Amino acid sequence: MTAQGRESGFGKDLIGLEALTGDQIEAILDTAEPFKEISERKIKKVPVLRGQTIVNLFLEPSTRTRISFEFAEKRLSADTVNISSAGSSVQKGETLVDTARNLEAMRIHMVVVRHGSSGAAKFLADRIPSNVINAGDGQHEHPTQALLDLLTIRDRFGAIAGRRVCIVGDILHSRVARSNIWGLLKCGADVAVCGPRTLIPAGIEELGVQRLDSIEEAIEWCDVLYVLRLQLERMEGGYVPSLREYNRVFGVSSERLGRAGDEMIVLHPGPMNRGVEIDSDVADGPRSVILPQVTNGVAVRMAVLYLLAGGRPELAEDAKAAAR
Amino acid sequence: MSGSLLLTGGRVIDPSSGLDEVRDVLVRDGRVEAVEQGVAGPEGIPRIEAEGLVVAPGLIDVHVHLREPGAEHKETIRTGAQSAAAGGFTTIWAMPNTDPPLDDPAAVGFVREEARRWARKGEGGARVSPVAAASLGLAGEQMTEIGGLVEAGAVAVTDDGHPIHDPALMRRLLEYTQSFGIPVLQHAEDMALSAGGVMNESAVATALGLRGIPNASEATVVARDIYLAELTGGHVHVQHVSTREAVELIRVARERGVRVSGEASPHHMALTEEAVRGYRTEAKMNPPLRSAADRLAVRQGLIDGVLECVATDHAPHHYEEKEREFDDAPFGIVGLETALAVCIGELVKPGDLPLFDLVERMSTAPARLMGIEGGTLRPGSRADLVLFDPDEEWTVDPASFRSKSRNTPFGGWEVTGRVKRTIVGGETRYRDESAGPD
């Protein structure tokens, strides 16, 4: 296996879930299952990616996604280098195409990229033979976030198909929402979005989701309430009048959850604005699976790294066992 | 005999006189002398065999960016004029959003004289008419010295690229320009509505995670400008109409006699927002490629004559500037060397617009609309002509462009209709070299 232009059964890169089939997505989740256990071990390391070099290219601030990827890489024994925009050549005005060429010249195997512009991950993937994993590009996609969300939903309900999932909040600016919409639809879920009309993007129904206008209606309807972070700058942009108003109209409170079905769970991609989009008693309450999401994040990212490096889903158990 | 020649056996299409027949065209001293059958022509005059070709008035493009002064790495007056000639254009209007902008008579004079200087050196192309800035520094505040600018050669005013937002300024412009008989060209866009937008606002933008520019950002400004034209009696010309709403507004306003006109660009008639998928920066322009319904409305607008002319909005950019993240790439595509073929393929081949009418929309109509010379082969008129093969099939190869820039969404397209020769004032300014020696 060489680093040059290698391809797994999932393609060279993971840019978004829009391009994957439901079967491929389920296969990634299946692959993540055996990797979950590695994180529970005392020595959390297997040699699956030994000798592989991975660059974490984070050109936009990120804490949990970057750390989650780093843990996934280290637990698979990859050699990693972190680049962030601050202090890098990017800050000195280097273009993305030059960054790509320079990385390639160093003969790396994979790039995990976070970037503020939609399409940046694909831009990079089209220009270098290394595997590219999108860790969030602008408002386009954040596929590993959606995969860990899907895994969390599957863990709870046994299957994604047939479940009703409502994504609440700033759909317009959210790459998490887009990746979840594609992933959920491809896995057979019913998907709705709910939020102020100023933050619901044009033509959202054409993607195959329904729009619910009230949070009460959303809570009654869904099995999974996916609460998005309300970025504070949205207020300055004039999308919502105030945080207080947002909380009043769309905030998820335990009082509002009184209308929910018994099994209904609450997800949030983090970081949370407690008291804005979600109240603390919900975030920390019995319906919340927010911390299991974070745990699953490492397993899903291990699975993605393993698969793009040429691993096969049915051999994941062996790969893990061989390490013992 | 400079500026004299005889074109024999071509299919002469002259919309200004309703002519579409095989004729010979005699040009003497830069002027059309005769358009008849079996013209003998004086001894020693160069003869050009035009059999199988269309001989038409030279094309006119009232919307071109030449980038000089200030961005000569993208295009210069020389290369832009040559690019135009290669596309069959004999007159182009150069937009004022240069650096510095064309907001004073010296800058306007420079553009005009620079084009003439290259023509004298034998490196000319199409005639270049400068369009002056409507406001100082294109800032949308203080009106430019339009009288002086017209004296220096300006043929119209616009803040193209910087839409005129202030309704009072727009009103004054539409009043003041009437003293000089020139139109105000408006890039109709409400910048507050389109802020941050990089493509059409729609489900495609939603899926790509790109910020959208709604149709209303164009339509609201067109509606306002129509009322201001009606109020003042001035002529507002809407550049690159891209939405079905704007086409409809212009249609209704013209029916009640308002002096509003509009232009259709080849790309808005040939492409939709789907071309952006894959984050293709060569499909990024402003106004953006719109929905299928908008594309059809713009086509129909041109076919019906609601939009009187074709204009390319030729907007050269260096490849490095386009080779980047979609958000950061500049708006605009080149269009001069593909316009005729794209329009033939999109409108004439499917039978939606006769070739005669397309020639009208690309030459006679813009000349009439803007009150300038050209667009005719009537005896005595300036000998600005294009010869093209309406049936020749070719593949668009951006590397072969005369333009300095290659930013086109039509690269690799199989198109029909090829310019063979472009004549300006009786002088050949472009010749398709694949046609063999003269």
Side-chain angles (χ1 to χ4, degrees):
Chain A
M1 191 176 62
T2 67
Q4 302 297 311
R6 62 186 179 172
E7 285 209 9
S8 68
F10 294 83
K12 180 174 83 71
D13 314 295
L14 178 65
I15 303 303
L17 298 193
E18 185 183 2
L20 297 186
T21 65
D23 285 345
Q24 286 176 315
I25 292 169
E26 297 276 5
I28 297 172
L29 303 184
D30 292 343
T31 306
E33 286 296 340
F35 285 119
K36 280 181 183 173
E37 187 261 337
I38 295 168
S39 295
E40 305 301 329
R41 293 180 192 172
K42 196 166 178 187
I43 297 174
K44 304 177 198 304
K45 216 171 180 72
V46 293
V48 169
L49 294 184
R50 193 161 54 197
Q52 302 266 319
T53 48
I54 301 177
V55 171
N56 297 311
L57 182 64
F58 277 68
L59 302 176
E60 193 188 67
S62 161
T63 306
R64 77 186 56 206
T65 300
R66 183 175 55 76
I67 290 174
S68 181
F69 265 109
E70 258 192 86
F71 275 131
E73 292 154 3
K74 287 181 169 28
R75 287 172 192 179
L76 293 175
S77 306
D79 296 318
T80 65
V81 173
N82 296 325
I83 303 173
S84 60
S85 46
S88 73
S89 50
V90 175
Q91 205 181 29
K92 296 174 192 162
E94 185 174 82
T95 61
L96 190 55
V97 67
D98 281 334
T99 303
R101 286 181 187 143
N102 279 282
L103 291 174
E104 199 46 49
M106 287 183 253
R107 301 289 183 266
I108 53 157
H109 293 88
M110 294 192 192
V111 181
V112 176
V113 62
R114 157 72 60 98
H115 195 291
S117 288
S118 300
K122 177 179 161 49
F123 181 96
L124 204 58
D126 288 347
R127 284 160 182 78
I128 59 175
S130 314
N131 307 115
V132 173
I133 298 172
N134 182 7
D137 64 324
Q139 298 161 8
H140 175 225
E141 285 224 39
H142 190 353
T144 58
Q145 174 69 46
L147 288 167
L148 72 88
D149 298 328
L150 292 165
L151 185 60
T152 309
I153 295 168
R154 203 174 76 165
D155 285 352
R156 180 58 65 103
F157 293 108
I160 296 160
R163 289 294 158 185
R164 292 171 160 189
V165 182
C166 185
I167 307 172
V168 180
D170 180 2
I171 313 296
L172 180 63
H173 300 94
S174 176
R175 54 191 172 216
V176 173
R178 283 168 179 76
S179 284
N180 266 289
I181 287 169
W182 297 123
L184 289 162
L185 290 174
K186 285 165 191 286
C187 292
D190 284 337
V191 184
V193 295
C194 174
R197 288 286 184 105
T198 48
L199 293 172
I200 304 292
I204 188 78
E205 294 96 337
E206 291 171 49
L207 270 48
V209 309
Q210 56 172 310
R211 206 180 54 211
L212 301 173
D213 275 324
S214 89
I215 186 72
E216 287 81 9
E217 191 187 353
I219 287 169
E220 274 182 42
W221 176 82
C222 71
D223 301 311
V224 175
L225 191 68
Y226 196 111
V227 185
L228 294 172
R229 172 183 165 76
L230 184 78
Q231 285 175 327
L232 304 182
E233 53 265 36
R234 297 301 162 236
M235 222 175 36
E236 289 149 32
Y239 292 96
V240 291
S242 72
L243 298 181
R244 187 174 67 169
E245 164 93 347
Y246 185 84
N247 181 257
R248 180 185 294 137
V249 183
F250 292 100
V252 179
S253 62
S254 56
E255 195 188 347
R256 282 188 166 140
L257 287 188
R259 296 160 169 265
D262 294 341
E263 290 194 306
M264 191 264 248
I265 56 172
V266 176
L267 277 71
H268 191 295
M272 287 184 280
N273 294 308
R274 289 170 182 265
V276 181
E277 72 268 8
I278 189 166
D279 287 359
S280 281
D281 51 358
V282 175
D284 305 330
R287 295 179 188 274
S288 168
V289 291
I290 295 171
L291 291 175
Q293 282 177 274
V294 177
T295 309
N296 278 341
V298 179
V300 149
R301 291 179 174 115
M302 289 168 83
V304 168
L305 293 164
Y306 165 78
L307 292 171
L308 288 190
R312 287 160 54 189
E314 64 276 17
L315 298 178
E317 192 67 43
D318 299 348
K320 186 193 76 171
R324 286 213 135 135
Chain B
M1 256 200 285
S2 161
S4 300
L5 43 81
L6 180 64
L7 306 169
T8 59
R11 173 185 167 190
V12 175
I13 296 181
D14 179 15
S16 75
S17 53
L19 183 69
D20 185 355
E21 278 172 41
V22 173
R23 295 281 171 93
D24 299 335
V25 178
L26 176 63
V27 171
R28 289 189 77 171
D29 301 326
R31 300 245 158 213
V32 176
E33 187 164 293
V35 180
E36 285 160 26
Q37 277 167 341
V39 178
E43 283 287 313
I45 201 167
R47 282 161 196 269
I48 293 161
E49 177 56 58
E51 219 163 290
L53 304 182
V54 169
V55 178
L59 308 183
I60 296 171
D61 188 347
V62 296
H63 194 160
V64 171
H65 297 271
L66 294 182
R67 305 303 188 200
E68 187 179 3
E72 293 83 356
H73 63 294
K74 298 174 195 258
E75 194 79 284
T76 63
I77 291 164
R78 179 177 67 89
T79 59
Q82 290 177 349
S83 172
F89 293 91
T90 53
T91 296
I92 55 175
W93 282 17
M95 293 298 116
N97 61 336
T98 48
D99 183 17
L102 308 185
D103 64 356
D104 74 65
V108 166
F110 164 76
V111 171
R112 190 173 66 165
E113 289 312 314
E114 187 69 2
R116 289 178 179 174
R117 184 171 73 86
W118 285 111
R120 284 195 299 274
K121 290 172 75 163
E123 292 186 52
R127 301 177 194 271
V128 176
S129 299
V131 174
S135 71
L136 280 176
L138 305 170
E141 288 165 12
Q142 192 183 339
M143 201 190 291
T144 49
E145 295 175 337
I146 295 175
L149 294 165
V150 168
E151 238 170 68
V155 289
V157 292
T158 184
D159 276 1
D160 181 35
H162 305 260
I164 297 163
H165 174 72
D166 179 357
L169 174 64
M170 191 62 177
R171 174 195 176 154
R172 300 299 174 222
L173 284 164
L174 286 168
E175 288 168 338
Y176 194 72
T177 49
Q178 291 178 64
S179 304
F180 312 100
I182 61 169
V184 178
L185 319 182
Q186 171 76 304
H187 170 130
E189 178 184 3
D190 186 319
M191 302 297 275
L193 283 176
S194 60
V198 292
M199 71 169 291
N200 187 40
E201 180 174 301
S202 67
V204 179
T206 294
L208 290 170
L210 294 174
R211 275 160 296 176
I213 298 173
N215 280 25
S217 79
E218 176 173 285
T220 53
V221 174
V222 171
R224 181 202 72 173
D225 288 349
I226 283 170
Y227 285 114
L228 293 174
E230 196 163 19
L231 173 71
T232 58
H235 176 192
V236 63
H237 174 76
V238 184
Q239 301 180 298
H240 43 45
V241 173
S242 71
T243 62
R244 54 193 187 276
E245 291 87 350
V247 174
E248 193 50 36
L249 284 164
I250 294 168
R251 183 194 309 275
V252 172
R254 287 169 68 90
E255 279 167 8
R256 66 170 194 272
V258 181
R259 291 182 70 201
V260 56
S261 55
E263 67 195 33
S265 78
H267 50 275
H268 287 118
M269 293 190 284
L271 299 167
T272 69
E273 58 186 346
E274 293 291 334
V276 173
R277 285 194 193 273
Y279 301 95
R280 291 182 54 199
T281 58
E282 68 270 27
K284 179 179 177 181
M285 71 287 287
N286 191 11
L289 297 172
R290 303 265 187 197
S291 70
D294 293 308
R295 172 188 172 220
L296 288 178
V298 173
R299 288 164 63 112
Q300 197 59 46
L302 185 82
I303 291 166
D304 297 344
V306 171
L307 306 179
E308 282 180 72
C309 62
V310 173
T312 63
D313 189 13
H314 178 84
H317 291 293
H318 195 260
Y319 79 92
E320 275 170 13
E321 297 164 320
K322 282 284 197 180
E323 175 77 353
R324 55 187 310 175
E325 298 89 316
F326 195 87
D327 280 337
D328 299 334
F331 291 108
I333 61 168
V334 293
L336 287 167
E337 291 171 69
T338 50
L340 179 64
V342 167
C343 288
I344 287 175
E346 286 301 313
L347 299 164
V348 179
K349 268 183 94 177
D352 294 336
L353 188 71
L355 184 61
F356 180 90
D357 290 25
L358 178 65
V359 169
E360 196 265 348
R361 303 289 192 277
M362 296 185 81
S363 66
T364 309
R368 182 187 60 228
L369 174 65
M370 302 302 185
I372 56 172
E373 253 191 291
T376 179
L377 297 179
R378 283 210 182 96
S381 59
R382 223 160 56 178
D384 291 358
L385 300 99
V386 58
L387 279 66
F388 65 93
D389 181 337
D391 302 314
E392 184 176 330
E393 293 174 359
W394 56 289
T395 305
V396 176
D397 174 17
S400 72
F401 285 171
R402 260 68 172 177
S403 169
K404 262 194 170 183
S405 291
R406 312 269 176 264
N407 50 310
T408 173
F410 299 117
W413 275 40
E414 305 285 338
V415 293
T416 304
R418 184 151 215 185
V419 175
K420 292 292 166 186
R421 184 185 294 264
T422 305
I423 296 165
V424 176
E427 185 182 304
T428 294
R429 293 279 173 90
Y430 170 78
R431 227 186 111 252
D432 176 15
E433 278 142 23
S434 68
D438 232 350

